Every structure is written in C-alpha cells, then in structure tokens.
Amino acid sequence: MAISTMIGASIKRREDPELITGTGSFVDDLPQTGVLHMYIVRSTQPHARLLGVETSAAKDADGVVAILTGKDLRPDFQAPLPVTPTFVPDKKAPAQYPIATDKVRYVGEPVALVLATSRSAAEDAAERIEVRYAPLPAVTDLMTATEKGAPIIHEELGTNLSYESKFSAGDMEAALREADVTIKERLIQQRLIPVAVETRGVVADYKPFANTLTVWSSTQIPHFVKVWLAVILGIPESQVRVVAPDVGGGFGSKIRVYPEEILTALASRKVGRRVKWIEDRSENMRATHHGRSQIWDVEVAAKKDGTVLGVRTTQWLDLGAYCSQFGTFMVIGVLVAQGAYKLKAFDGRSVGVFTNRTPTDAYRGAGRPEATYFIERVMDLVAQKTGLDPAEVRRKNFIRKEEQPFTTLLGLTYDSGDYELTLSKALDMVGYRQLRQEQAEKRKQGQYLGIGLSTYIEICGLGPAATTQAATGVSLWGMSVVRLHFTGKATVIIGSSPHGQGHETTFAQIVGDVLGLPIEDIDVVHGDTAIGPMGMDTYGSRSTAMDGTAAHLSATKVREKARKIAAHLLEAAEGDVVYENGKAFVKGTPSKAVTIQEIAMAAFQTNRLPPGMEGGLEASTFFDPANFVWPFGAHIAVVEVDGETGAVRILRYVAVDDCGTRINPMVVDGQLHGGIAQGIGQALLEEGVYDAEGQLKTGTLVDYLIPSAADLPRFELAATVTPSPVNPLGVKGVGEAGTIASSAAVVNAVVDALAPFGVTDIPMPVTPQKVWQLMHKNGGRKR
Ligand code: MCN
C-alpha cells in the first residue's frame, strides 16, 4: 500500500492477533509471585448504620495475612474520592471515602478487606466476617426521593437533592402561545449496567523504603488515577506510576478513580506486599458504576406545518448514593438537547437526586444518547401529532449546511455539518418511500412494520482547554511525543489509551502519513504514566481529535527538522528541499534523496548535524483546539412487531455517519457496529432493576440481558465526510456515535409500528410484555 494513502486506509487492527489468540496482557495476567489476594466484603444493605465489623474468626483462617476495616483505614485517606465540578459547581457532593465507616448507602459499598495468600483463602475467610448493621429505610425512587419525609441518605445535607440547575434561552411561554400543537410526554432512560468483557482489576506494589507506588489498573484514565492516588494517599506524584495494560472494554465504566484502586494501593502499603484485586462478575454488577437512570419530562410547542418553536425539559438524574466523579457530567444532555434543529426557545432544567443505589456515571455516550433520545422522540411526537412524515418534520427544522458554524440557543457552536445530506442518503439506502407503502399494505393485513429515524448530532473531542477548564475544572489537551530512533523507527507516545478502540493501528496511520513510514516501523505507546507526556486519557470520543491531532502535529515538527537536516546533508538550501514518502530531496531531483532512516541516524551524530542544531529527532505537542468537534448522522431502524406476542424484530438497520475524515474506515465501522449494538441493547433489552427495599434484582447476566449477534440485523453502513475545521486532520470522534443514535431510532420505529393502537411512547427497554400490553390497552387497535 502506498504510504501517502495511509489516512483513509482500512488496515486491519494490528492489536487484534494478540487479543484473539489469548496472548494479550490484562491485569489478571500480571506475574503472580509473592502477590497477596484481596477480597472485598461489601454491604448487603442499601441503607444502614454500620454497628461493627467482627473480624476475629476470619483472622485465624488459613492463608489470611490481614483484615482491614473502614475504621482501620480511615486515618490514611488524606482526601475523599474526587468529584469534578462539571456544569453544576454548586451541587451538594458529600465526601465519599473508598470504604464505609459508620454508614452504608448502597448494596456493594466496600466494608472490609481480606488479604490472603490465595483468592479462595480470602473468599473463605470473608465468610467468617460478621458485619452488624442497623437497617434504615432506603430511598429507591428517583421521583419521590426529595419529597418531605423521605429518608435522608446524607444527614449532613439534610436533603436528597444534590442540585437543581436551569439552562434556558428564548421565550418558551411565547413559543407555547404561538403554537398550533403542544405535546407533553415523560421519557424514561432506564438504569443501565455497563458490562465490559473484562471486569475491573487492580494490582498495587508499594515499596516502603523508596516510598514508591506502582499500580496496574483496568482503567480508562491511568493519568488521573495517578494524580488521585498521590493526593489521597499522600505520596509524591512523581513516585506514583499507573499502568493500564490491555483493557478489555470500558464503555465509560472505567472512567473514574474507583475506591478499589485506592484500597488495593493502601492495602499494599499497609502490609508491604504486592496486592491484587480482581472483580468478579456479580461484584461488577453492583460495584462498578451504572449509567443513565434518568427521567426526562418533555413539553413541545410546534406549528401545524411541523416547525418546532420550542422545547422544555426537566432531566431528573438519579445520582445513586454519592456524586460519582463525573456523575453530573450527564447534565451535558440538557446542554446539547437542541440537536440538529433550529428552535426559538429552549427551557432546560436538570435536577440531581441521591438514592440508595449504585452511583451513576458515564456510560457510552454519557448524556448525548439522552439528548438524542429526547429531541428525536420530540421530532416523532410532532410528526405524529401533525400527521406529517417524520423525515419532513426533521427537514423542516434542520440547521442548514450554509448556516454552519451554528451557535445554539445555549451558546455552543457546531463546527460543521450537513444534516440533510446524511438523511437523504439514509432514506435512499433504506428505500423510504417504498417502505412506507409496504407499511400501509401490511397494516391493512394486521402486520406491524415500523420505521424509525434518528438524525443525531454529538459533541465530542473533549476538548478546548479553556472551555473544559471552565465547565469541568480540568483543562483537557491532546498530548503526544513522536520520537525517531537511530534506525529511523518511530515511537509515538500518546496521552490517551485504548480499551478496544484500535489506537495502535490508527495512531500509527496518522504518524505514518506525515513521516512516510510504514506502520510496522511505528510503535504506539500508551497507558503508562512513567513513559512520555502527561495524558488526559480516553472518554468523550476525544482521542483521535485531540491526541491524534497532537500526534500529527508532533510528527509534522519531526518532519520539519528532518527536512532541515536533509538540506545540510544534501548541501542544499533549506527552501529547496522537499520531504515526501519518507525521503527528502532537492525539488525536481528525487533520485538523489536521503531517506528518513539516514536522516534519523544523522540526527544523533554531531558531525552530520547542521551547525548549532540540537541533536535528536523528537517532538512533543500539547494540542488545544478552538472548539469541540460535532459528528452527526442519520440512522434508520426498520422493525416488525409481532401482533400475537409483542416481540420486536429489527429487520434492517441503516446508518449514515459523518465523523469528518476517517483515519481507518474499517475501524470506524467497527466502532459503529459496537455502538449501535449497545444502543439497541438499551432500546430492547437492558434494565438494571432494584426492588423497593433497594436490592439489585438484576445482579447477574441471567437477569440482565445484553444483546448478542442473534438479536441484531446486519448493519448497512455508509458515510459522508464533512471535515472538522477545528483540527488539521479534519477528524471528529466516532467511538460513541452508534450508541448515541440507535436507541432513538429503534424506539421511534416501535412507536411508529404501534401507531394504529394510538401509542405515542413506550418506555425503554421495549419488552414484548410492554408492547403486548400497549396493543391491548383500551380495546386494542384504533385505526
Ligand atoms: N477513528 C477513525 N477516524 C475518525 C474517528 C475515529 O479512524 N474520524 C478511529 C480512532 O482512531 C480510534 C477509534 O476510531 O481507533 C475511536 O476513536 P474516537 O472516536 O477518537 O474515540 P476514543 O478513541 O477516544 O474512544 C473513546 C470512545 C468512548 S468514549 C467509548 S465509551 C467507547 C468507544 O470509544 N468504549 C469502547 N469505543 C469502544 N470500543 C471498544 N471496543 N470498547 C470500548 O470500551
């Protein structure tokens, strides 16, 4: 393959052979010698005073080295777990410590640690620990949690309300007065349990004499974990190293500094030995944060020609028992809920509430699936009420290509977009007109075909340093180092780290494109805080737009220096030398070229460097773009609802996505496949359910359904390319796009199929039981 076509090439992911042959190296695969195994005793109570932890029987058990309780460990914490300010800086965020001392607030909260010579010894000993609780009534309902008389989870606050914030612009009352139609609806974002194939795991190794700590963690954020280990344990940051080895999926669930990272490190410091903790699946379902768990109340003002004048929403956000690190990031959903449309008024409110359930935090899309679900359901509600076609309602309200960059009512500016183009392409692909005819025919025969659209936009590529500093308290940069070795091979060190995304391939493509090196000559290094630059880690589909751009810029700096060295070697004027495909030559004489390998060698030899030039061939970059990037697209689901059973089958799924320049279209498609599957999982199958007492009823994969290939159709994908103007590569993110778009498309399709029954909404997950009940409600079919 010609090197100059490296960007846009569907190169197979080079990380995969290792992963699919079982030779990857995950936390659990690290050398075991001398390691102590940690088992965490967790609260079985959703809300209770912790009266005591009786450990004497367990201490004598075989293989036990130490047992530690919250009371033993509390003096060692120099700070609570971090909570970022994210959009609602004045929220009430009670301090959460990694282990309970006086009270437990959700099932799964750590209560005691058992350290033993084997995992089974630790588990056996844990059974001998007696935890004495005085149970308290639990808060398990988001909508009644703040009512007078509800049990208070954090007494020091005197309320279960964390915050209530408004984000409004334009005159919603005027929009309602001007409207021909108004609609009210309540949309449910059920609680989701992220199910990464690899559960979390931590190995910590504290060296007492050197006061150094090395932690291997299955995390998306090794750099942030390093900082917080240093702060919470009081170890100089320079003496803490965090490594994220191969990480088997995260989907946002490994985005926070977790209690277990602190506890494993602290346990290692207490006993002076290497300590390992590996989460088991049922622990994972309770202790790893959950996602979504929101209710969105909706009010719409529209004209009878389909023009949407204004929307009002309240996002009720179930934070769970504590404010998780990025729990209130989900407020972003309200901030971007305007979607791809022009509106006169937006009236948004977000209310964050504590309940006695596992804390919620980012889950693939984090706020943007909720926003898309809201505005895309709004478009369909308006179509239904006005009798217009859902595609026409969208077209009527779209922000036009020539209006980009477009500033929303709440002041965010879209970088570029052509929403009409992706919609037209998707409609063509699916054969929309013909499908509508087919639908009408089938209805006559009592068969229920549904067509659902979702023309989403997304904010990602987090994100401009100043904006993210103001919104979240952290300046987010893209970071990279590109280093050429003596022999002309390159190392690229990036500030993000993948957990399934394929960075080792795509980042090599980015650098290879600039330097004209084959990707076999480029090693992409990530996820180790002891190597390379400070990083800002992986979330918010930011890596390519931020660290990818930083890698491009570092490579460009290296290329520029290489060109200067080449000019010296060729005894030519700098201005006459060009660099192409890994070679530098005087313009017009490519036969007399010096290769990058020769230039790299010369960069380390004083006798071959231009006089006064510093040696080496290496550059680093802190990249700070002017804006976020805003991918978009049009997804169409075609479903069939079984009139007898209420079962939903997805017949077709068409998606046209635009993530700007695609570095590797095959990787992009892979990201979309996974993302769409996850959104379909939310639409049809998944729900984290608690009973009225606060016990998790879906604590295993038997009760919590995730989609398998058998539940999914073949995805029909296509792309348009609208480059982003905010980075030189023109890239936007794609890691979450599929999830952001797909739940809305599928639910819109089901509601469309059920239109003859007068159905206007159906809460996710759309189970056969709910569908069947709606079909039989109030005497069945209406038209
Ligand atoms: N890419 C590309 N061209 C583009 C954009 C992206 O070729 N225009 C490639 C990238 O280079 C990268 C992949 O697509 O290899 C995703 O890139 P990007 O959109 O920048 O997202 P991140 O790398 O920052 O990944 C984060 C994102 C998020 S937030 C979640 S959640 C998520 C996701 O990626 N979790 C995943 N994808 C996942 N994929 C897997 N397998 N596992 C997860 O846990």
Side-chain angles (χ1 to χ4, degrees):
M1 181 187 316
I3 285 159
S4 55
T5 60
M6 216 172 248
I7 291 206
S10 284
I11 298 170
K12 279 192 185 165
R13 297 183 358 156
R14 56 188 179 148
E15 43 271 80
D16 286 350
E18 230 177 57
L19 297 175
I20 61 180
T21 54
T23 48
S25 185
F26 297 85
V27 171
D28 201 21
D29 300 320
L30 294 170
Q32 307 267 347
T33 338
V35 78
L36 285 183
H37 296 261
M38 183 168 95
Y39 182 82
I40 302 178
V41 177
R42 297 180 181 275
S43 172
T44 55
Q45 299 293 315
H47 195 195
R49 299 224 176 278
L50 194 53
L51 300 180
V53 184
E54 186 46 63
T55 60
S56 50
K59 274 188 176 133
D60 299 334
D62 281 351
V64 169
V65 172
I67 295 182
L68 301 164
T69 65
K71 291 230 156 67
D72 301 327
L73 297 174
R74 181 66 183 80
D76 291 82
F77 301 122
Q78 306 208 357
L81 291 164
V83 179
T84 57
T86 46
F87 311 119
V88 279
D90 51 354
K91 67 185 168 229
K92 295 188 179 77
Q96 182 188 3
Y97 287 90
I99 186 164
T101 45
D102 303 316
K103 202 179 175 190
V104 290
R105 296 182 174 88
Y106 65 96
V107 171
E109 187 164 3
V111 169
L113 313 178
V114 183
L115 300 169
T117 48
S118 72
R119 166 83 186 200
S120 51
E123 278 192 46
D124 288 349
E127 282 178 17
R128 299 194 191 182
I129 292 178
E130 194 202 330
V131 184
R132 282 182 295 113
Y133 300 101
L136 296 164
V139 180
T140 56
D141 177 38
L142 166 62
M143 299 310 284
T144 54
T146 50
E147 279 179 3
K148 224 172 155 207
I152 299 293
I153 301 171
H154 300 277
E155 283 92 349
E156 69 277 21
L157 305 184
T159 172
N160 294 325
L161 180 72
S162 171
Y163 71 88
E164 180 173 346
S165 291
K166 288 200 68 119
F167 305 92
S168 301
D171 188 343
M172 185 63 194
E173 291 307 321
L176 286 166
R177 280 194 301 275
E178 202 189 323
D180 301 319
V181 291
T182 58
I183 306 164
K184 283 189 178 178
E185 197 63 74
R186 170 166 282 189
L187 304 176
I188 306 295
Q189 290 285 341
Q190 77 272 35
R191 184 172 271 258
L192 299 178
I193 303 182
V195 182
V197 171
E198 184 207 16
T199 57
R200 290 182 298 122
V202 186
V203 172
D205 196 3
Y206 177 76
K207 298 271 185 255
F209 294 107
N211 190 26
T212 58
L213 174 68
T214 305
V215 168
W216 294 263
S217 179
S218 179
T219 178
Q220 296 174 220
I221 55 156
H223 294 92
F224 284 113
V225 171
K226 179 197 69 168
V227 173
W228 285 98
L229 279 168
V231 170
I232 297 174
L233 298 185
I235 303 172
E237 193 187 334
S238 51
Q239 281 153 238
V240 181
R241 173 184 181 191
V242 177
V243 183
D246 282 334
V247 174
F251 311 113
S253 72
K254 295 174 181 171
I255 196 189
R256 62 174 294 217
V257 177
Y258 268 101
E260 292 83 357
E261 284 160 331
I262 309 295
L263 293 173
T264 315
L266 188 48
S268 174
R269 187 164 74 177
K270 283 270 182 213
V271 296
R273 304 223 353 221
R274 184 179 276 218
V275 174
K276 171 176 183 171
W277 168 76
I278 300 290
E279 189 180 49
D280 68 28
R281 181 59 68 188
S282 63
E283 205 178 9
N284 172 260
M285 309 285 289
R286 291 166 180 79
T288 291
H289 71 237
H290 293 175
R292 314 268 154 56
S293 209
Q294 298 168 33
I295 291 173
W296 285 56
D297 281 333
V298 180
E299 193 172 1
V300 192
K303 303 289 279 181
K304 58 177 181 289
D305 68 356
T307 306
V308 179
L309 300 168
V311 289
R312 172 176 279 158
T313 187
T314 296
Q315 172 197 43
W316 303 93
L317 177 55
D318 172 6
L319 295 163
Y322 296 93
C323 261
S324 182
Q325 188 169 356
F326 299 101
T328 55
F329 180 81
M330 296 340 117
V331 174
I332 189 100
V334 177
L335 300 179
V336 298
Q338 181 169 343
Y341 311 103
K342 278 176 285 191
L343 304 173
K344 284 187 179 171
F346 181 87
D347 188 8
R349 186 164 72 112
S350 178
V351 183
V353 170
F354 297 111
T355 61
N356 288 113
R357 299 192 275 212
T358 296
T360 55
D361 203 309
Y363 176 59
R364 204 170 193 172
R368 290 98 88 219
E370 296 92 308
T372 301
Y373 192 76
F374 159 76
I375 197 72
E376 293 305 308
R377 289 291 301 116
V378 163
M379 290 298 142
D380 269 36
L381 286 165
V382 170
Q384 209 175 14
K385 188 96 177 202
T386 55
L388 297 166
D389 185 285
E392 286 322 304
V393 172
R394 285 172 171 78
R395 285 189 159 127
K396 183 107 209 157
N397 293 288
F398 269 158
I399 297 157
R400 315 263 151 231
K401 178 185 168 192
E402 47 295 351
E403 290 167 319
Q404 301 278 4
F406 179 88
T407 300
T408 67
L409 286 167
L410 294 181
L412 290 158
T413 302
Y414 299 163
D415 59 343
S416 62
D418 188 347
Y419 311 139
E420 170 58 39
L421 183 65
T422 44
L423 177 60
S424 305
K425 195 162 177 163
L427 293 173
D428 281 352
M429 278 170 69
V430 84
Y432 189 64
R433 199 169 290 192
Q434 203 182 329
L435 263 183
R436 285 283 175 211
Q437 283 164 9
E438 202 183 310
Q439 180 184 44
E441 284 305 313
K442 288 203 157 167
R443 271 185 191 166
K444 284 184 208 150
Q445 295 154 25
Q447 292 172 17
Y448 303 103
L449 189 78
I451 308 157
L453 311 186
S454 171
T455 45
Y456 76 99
I457 58 111
E458 178 198 346
I459 180 173
C460 65
L462 317 178
T467 319
T468 49
Q469 177 69 51
T472 69
V474 186
S475 300
L476 298 176
W477 316 77
M479 295 169 188
S480 77
V481 173
V482 171
R483 176 179 303 147
L484 259 74
H485 302 271
F486 296 111
T487 52
K489 312 286 181 199
T491 297
V492 184
I493 312 168
I494 51 174
S496 63
S497 52
H499 34 283
Q501 291 87 347
H503 293 179
E504 288 172 26
T505 306
T506 54
F507 280 65
Q509 288 179 249
I510 291 171
V511 170
D513 180 70
V514 177
L515 293 177
L517 282 173
I519 67 165
E520 301 76 51
D521 286 359
I522 304 168
D523 193 26
V524 178
V525 175
H526 51 77
D528 184 342
T529 64
I531 303 174
M534 175 67 197
M536 292 293 163
D537 301 324
T538 303
Y539 40 83
S541 302
R542 65 182 300 276
S543 305
T544 315
M546 296 299 291
D547 298 276
T549 301
H552 168 86
L553 293 173
S554 293
T556 307
K557 291 176 196 168
V558 164
R559 186 180 63 189
E560 205 34 40
K561 184 168 180 187
R563 212 179 53 77
K564 289 188 175 141
I565 297 171
H568 180 68
L569 295 174
L570 293 165
E571 295 176 3
E574 235 178 81
D576 294 340
V577 173
V578 289
Y579 186 104
E580 274 175 27
N581 289 338
K583 290 178 183 156
F585 50 88
V586 174
K587 249 177 258 163
T589 55
S591 56
K592 283 195 189 151
V594 280
T595 64
I596 183 67
Q597 289 77 14
E598 290 169 271
I599 300 170
M601 185 63 80
F604 294 95
Q605 296 170 324
T606 49
N607 57 338
R608 300 179 73 203
L609 272 176
M613 183 182 273
E614 199 178 320
L617 198 48
E618 173 168 338
S620 64
T621 303
F622 260 53
F623 172 61
D624 183 14
N627 192 0
F628 303 100
V629 290
W630 299 83
F632 60 95
H635 287 214
I636 304 181
V638 183
V639 305
E640 181 181 62
V641 176
D642 187 318
E644 297 286 314
T645 63
V648 173
R649 193 157 70 93
I650 304 179
L651 302 177
R652 290 182 65 193
Y653 196 97
V654 167
V656 181
D657 292 276
D658 193 320
C659 59
T661 309
R662 291 179 302 162
I663 306 299
N664 182 326
M666 191 197 289
V667 170
V668 166
D669 284 358
Q671 286 293 304
L672 288 165
H673 277 236
I676 293 168
Q678 262 170 314
I680 291 175
Q682 172 168 17
L684 299 182
L685 301 171
E686 300 183 33
E687 184 169 27
V689 180
Y690 282 82
D691 68 14
E693 277 71 51
Q695 294 290 341
L696 181 65
K697 286 168 68 182
T698 51
T700 73
L701 290 177
V702 174
D703 321 290
Y704 188 87
L705 298 183
I706 54 170
S708 75
D711 302 302
L712 305 167
R714 190 177 65 82
F715 301 137
E716 300 166 57
L717 305 186
T720 63
V721 176
T722 309
S724 171
V726 306
N727 61 64
L729 290 168
V731 291
K732 306 185 180 192
V734 78
E736 296 160 289
T739 312
I740 290 169
S742 59
S743 308
V746 172
V747 174
N748 279 343
V750 177
V751 174
D752 182 52
L754 298 178
F757 297 87
V759 172
T760 56
D761 187 53
I762 178 162
M764 296 186 288
V766 177
T767 58
Q769 193 184 14
K770 282 186 203 165
V771 173
W772 191 91
Q773 280 168 348
L774 281 172
M775 288 174 105
H776 290 82
K777 205 172 145 189
N778 307 329
R781 188 166 167 166
K782 309 282 178 297
R783 56 188 169 87

